[in-house]
Amino acid sequence: MGSADTSLKYRLRLIWAYKDILRNHFAPVFRMYAGRFRKHQRLAAHRLEGKERLDVAFFLTIPGMWKSDYLFRALRENPRYHPYVVVYPYSVFKGFDREEVDATVERTRHFIEDKGFECIVPYNARNGRWEDVRKTLKPDIVVFTTPYKDIPPQYFIYNFRDVLTCYVPYGFSSLNLYKVNYDLIFHNLVGIHFVETEIHRETAMAHSRNRGENVVVSGYPGTEVFLHKEYEPVDVWKVQEKRKKRVIWAPHHTIDGDFAISSFLLYSEPMLQLAREFSESVQFVFKPHPLLKFKLQRIWGVGKTDEYYRCWQEMANGQLEESSYVDLFLTSDAMIHDCGSFTTEYLFTRKPVMYLVKDYDFVEKFSTFGQMSFNNHYHGRTVEEVRSFIADVVIGGKDTMREQREEFFERHLAQGGKLPSERIVEILDATIKGDIIK
């Protein structure tokens, strides 16, 4: 999770765009600003108590950050709430390919509309500007799916002081990115910060400047679908002449910067070779992080990047998936990855999974909960270890970690009782009554 771009040029762009040199970089100003902001959040919640219908705007930039299907439906079925999704561009200050940024907005819109959810793209084609939805749509509640800047400033939390704000993380936090996951200025301002487990709440309390006063345990909505036994996944895999084992390769986007944990550049060609090697018995899905393509276009160039993606898409036993992954997970046999959130999310399937370890000290980069999840993975440090995982565990069925994963699921992931979406709706109701925000 998080952006790895720390260049001076990029930081200066953000400071200029968000007018952020004081409130985010000087402790006394931050404390004063955050205190006032939190006071306005309490008042915003209080003003909603008497309203009959509350408009809830989910803010979204890319399909991979959408984890709220069940929450959206729960709000839509509740006569008090009117949810809709607002789609706008991400990575607007990084100098990424403009056409790809625009295409991502369109892909995200189609992704939401295909679900039958109300979707709004607030772009004014007449003047070429993204509208300020606080003024045009006037939502009562805003649900953020990302805590980062690098978006049009009118969609960042600074613009919603007088609107009740919530944050549903787009990933199951597993890495020790405590600043990125719990102590950005966003985390310290947002009205309600929903987290996955009690362990995550304790981590937030230890690492955020507001001591986690706005943090509430809800469970993770993104994995709720795995707990619904009645859910029937769509088979999204390319049709083969015979049934083959199905393996997902999901590389992360952090291929550069201070936290370059992605092993993609090491395995980009070997994974293609392995897919060809096992073409008779295994089919592969290339499931890159949504931001990886932007990064590659900057490093490889647009032509080479497009050619690589097209290679997976056109391979007889391969394919490219850039949208949702729930059905992909549920209809797979195994996964190979290096993504922080997937470290826990795939364990909900209870299927074998391998983590590609780029550095031998990588284990230190996990959080407490992430370490627990990581220990339920097979670990791949070489191409030969990846080959053995495919041949022995996936094809051969020698899954020596099966019982261990089952025990971890039952103890930490099964979430007996209320589901995350049910908890969140109850928390919203309680917040409006004045029982949550401190």
Side-chain angles (χ1 to χ4, degrees):
M1 298 171 67
S3 169
D5 194 334
T6 57
S7 68
L8 177 61
K9 181 179 180 181
Y10 174 64
R11 291 199 300 265
L12 290 175
R13 281 179 178 174
L14 291 185
I15 290 174
W16 175 262
Y18 289 89
K19 300 177 176 60
D20 222 9
I21 194 167
L22 292 176
R23 60 187 161 192
N24 201 23
H25 295 87
F26 291 89
V29 179
F30 164 81
R31 286 194 295 268
M32 180 180 66
Y33 180 78
R36 290 180 177 176
F37 198 101
R38 298 282 301 150
K39 179 181 178 180
H40 280 273
Q41 286 292 286
R42 291 191 293 270
L43 293 173
H46 178 70
R47 285 193 295 269
L48 300 181
E49 188 170 5
K51 293 195 69 172
E52 293 185 1
R53 192 180 91 151
L54 304 177
D55 290 333
V56 184
F58 285 78
F59 280 11
L60 182 65
T61 55
I62 55 180
M65 289 182 175
W66 179 257
K67 305 300 169 69
S68 298
D69 274 4
Y70 284 93
L71 174 57
F72 190 96
R73 293 189 184 104
L75 291 171
R76 189 172 60 179
E77 293 168 3
N78 188 317
R80 190 179 192 190
Y81 296 99
H82 166 229
Y84 54 87
V85 181
V86 175
V87 174
Y88 55 91
Y90 183 63
S91 301
V92 295
F93 297 110
K94 290 185 178 179
F96 290 157
D97 183 74
R98 177 60 184 272
E99 289 186 4
E100 184 63 30
V101 172
D102 292 343
T104 301
V105 170
E106 276 300 291
R107 187 163 61 246
T108 306
R109 179 177 67 83
H110 288 297
F111 170 76
I112 292 298
E113 290 179 345
D114 287 347
K115 293 177 179 293
F117 297 165
E118 183 179 346
C119 182
I120 299 171
V121 180
Y123 180 71
N124 189 325
R126 291 190 302 274
N127 58 24
R129 295 181 180 179
W130 289 88
E131 296 177 338
D132 183 348
V133 298
R134 182 179 60 85
K135 298 177 180 178
T136 59
L137 300 178
K138 300 180 180 179
D140 298 298
I141 301 172
V142 168
V143 181
F144 290 94
T145 56
T146 172
Y148 313 124
K149 295 175 183 175
D150 205 31
I151 55 176
Q154 60 268 35
Y155 301 108
F156 192 62
I157 195 169
Y158 292 158
N159 195 36
F160 297 93
R161 183 181 67 172
D162 297 317
V163 177
L164 177 58
T165 58
C166 309
Y167 174 45
V168 176
Y170 69 86
F172 205 117
S173 178
S174 298
L175 301 176
N176 67 354
L177 297 172
Y178 301 127
K179 174 74 174 180
V180 171
N181 289 336
Y182 303 107
D183 198 35
L184 298 178
I185 193 167
F186 173 95
H187 300 109
N188 288 276
L189 300 181
V190 69
I192 312 172
H193 180 181
F194 297 107
V195 297
E196 305 91 321
T197 68
E198 182 61 30
I199 295 175
H200 290 84
R201 188 183 74 86
E202 292 171 358
T203 303
M205 292 172 63
H207 293 280
S208 62
R209 282 168 284 179
N210 69 6
R211 298 295 181 259
E213 68 173 14
N214 54 347
V215 173
V216 182
V217 178
S218 62
Y220 182 51
T223 53
E224 183 169 334
V225 63
F226 300 118
L227 303 175
H228 283 266
K229 295 181 180 179
E230 73 278 8
Y231 180 77
E232 296 183 5
V234 176
D235 190 346
V236 296
W237 294 73
K238 187 183 295 184
V239 176
Q240 304 287 293
E241 292 182 359
K242 65 176 182 178
R243 179 64 162 86
K244 300 176 181 179
K245 293 294 183 178
R246 297 169 163 185
V247 176
I248 304 166
W249 177 39
H252 201 241
H253 70 89
T254 47
I255 55 179
D256 57 4
D258 295 336
F259 202 78
I261 63 174
S262 174
S263 59
F264 173 81
L265 295 178
L266 297 175
Y267 285 94
S268 58
E269 288 305 317
M271 287 303 296
L272 280 173
Q273 295 169 8
L274 287 171
R276 298 184 183 109
E277 178 181 335
F278 289 99
S279 61
E280 294 300 313
S281 54
V282 182
Q283 61 183 126
F284 292 80
V285 161
F286 176 47
K287 180 67 180 75
H289 187 285
L291 297 183
L292 178 61
K293 192 172 187 179
F294 292 114
K295 301 286 186 69
L296 287 176
Q297 288 174 337
R298 201 163 55 184
I299 295 174
W300 281 357
V302 173
K304 182 178 178 180
T305 301
D306 290 347
E307 175 60 27
Y308 185 84
Y309 275 55
R310 186 163 51 250
C311 186
W312 279 104
Q313 193 169 28
E314 296 176 353
M315 187 185 302
N317 67 317
Q319 67 191 77
L320 169 67
E321 288 293 338
E322 297 183 273
S323 190
S324 180
Y325 55 82
V326 169
D327 291 336
L328 188 68
F329 277 19
L330 289 172
T331 53
S332 68
D333 293 302
M335 184 166 74
I336 300 167
H337 76 103
D338 55 14
C339 292
S341 181
F342 285 177
T343 306
T344 297
E345 289 186 61
Y346 196 76
L347 292 176
F348 278 82
T349 70
R350 290 170 278 182
K351 299 173 183 179
V353 56
M354 168 172 272
Y355 199 107
L356 295 180
V357 183
K358 183 179 178 183
D359 302 310
Y360 281 89
D361 65 345
F362 180 79
V363 68
E364 300 176 2
K365 298 175 182 176
F366 281 106
S367 65
T368 300
F369 195 91
Q371 176 70 66
M372 296 162 61
S373 298
F374 179 74
N375 289 339
N376 283 276
H377 281 61
Y378 294 90
H379 302 150
R381 293 181 171 85
T382 66
V383 174
E384 186 54 42
E385 288 179 339
V386 177
R387 179 181 287 108
S388 296
F389 174 73
I390 296 170
D392 299 336
V393 180
V394 180
I395 299 175
K398 299 176 183 178
D399 184 7
T400 58
M401 300 187 72
R402 180 182 289 114
E403 291 185 6
Q404 178 180 328
R405 290 195 310 274
E406 290 284 352
E407 181 181 353
F408 180 78
F409 173 83
E410 293 297 334
R411 179 174 295 183
H412 298 287
L413 305 180
Q415 299 179 1
K418 289 187 174 66
L419 294 168
S421 62
E422 297 172 329
R423 290 194 182 103
I424 290 175
V425 174
E426 289 183 353
I427 292 167
L428 284 175
D429 289 339
T431 299
I432 293 169
K433 293 179 181 177
D435 296 336
I436 296 293
I437 295 185
K438 301 175 182 178

